[in-house]
Amino acid sequence: MKIHKKLASICLSASMVLPLASGLTEAGTAVPTVSYAADYAYDEDMVMRYNTMAGNVNTNNAWNNDESFYKALPVGNGRIGGMVYGNYPDELIDLNECTVWSSGPSNNNKDGAASYLKQAQDLLKSGKYKEANDLIGSKMIGGGEAKYQMVGGL
């Protein structure tokens, strides 16, 4: 009895896989090739070009413009992402996820922050970016600074 079940299972599996493996449908007709490239126009504005590789400089200094982080290619969907950097063939992808960061749950809004909005907008419009940043940081955003943490690397 066991041998019959095993043989039936093998025959059933083969009958499902063979049409796919040969490129034929059940009716014996060829599977049509679908191409979506013609549906989308080429847009030069959507092409990213690089004249240097990202490198592998890691100084842990956020103000160092030679830091590889500033030259890396960010990828992701807003919840899970990564930074692709390095030189061929040794690329590295640092992975992160929105719930893995250096702080706990908190509220970044400060009470009374709305009363400083007009002042911050005026500073920005007049080109006083440092003063606007200081005002926003001290009066409008609370909870300290938290940073996304690396989940893993590929």
Side-chain angles (χ1 to χ4, degrees):
M1 183 68 172
K2 283 187 175 182
I3 191 78
H4 295 295
K5 285 184 180 181
K6 195 173 215 177
L7 185 59
S9 174
I10 291 171
C11 290
L12 181 61
S13 298
S15 68
M16 289 188 288
V17 172
L18 286 177
L20 298 174
S22 66
L24 299 176
T25 62
E26 290 180 25
T29 59
V31 176
T33 303
V34 179
S35 175
Y36 295 103
D39 295 342
Y40 299 100
Y42 179 77
D43 186 357
E44 184 66 30
D45 292 337
M46 299 300 289
V47 176
M48 295 189 295
R49 300 186 194 281
Y50 298 91
N51 57 9
T52 62
M53 293 187 203
N56 52 13
V57 176
N58 186 8
T59 62
N60 288 324
N61 179 357
W63 304 108
N64 183 355
N65 288 331
D66 291 329
E67 182 78 32
S68 295
F69 180 82
Y70 295 108
K71 299 176 182 176
L73 177 65
V75 294
N77 63 7
R79 190 187 72 75
I80 188 167
M83 293 296 285
V84 182
Y85 59 95
N87 296 324
Y88 175 81
D90 300 318
E91 295 91 355
L92 179 65
I93 303 173
D94 281 345
L95 302 173
N96 66 27
E97 198 268 337
C98 70
T99 61
V100 181
W101 56 306
S102 63
S103 184
S106 65
N107 183 356
N108 286 338
N109 299 320
K110 282 191 174 178
D111 290 333
S115 63
Y116 294 98
L117 180 60
K118 176 75 171 124
Q119 185 180 352
Q121 289 171 335
D122 291 341
L123 288 169
L124 289 170
K125 287 177 186 174
S126 63
K128 298 178 181 177
Y129 302 115
K130 171 129 179 49
E131 291 88 347
N133 186 54
D134 292 342
L135 175 71
I136 292 168
S138 64
K139 303 292 185 185
M140 299 178 77
I141 299 175
E145 291 187 23
K147 298 171 180 67
Y148 284 113
Q149 301 297 303
M150 188 172 86
V151 173
L154 295 175

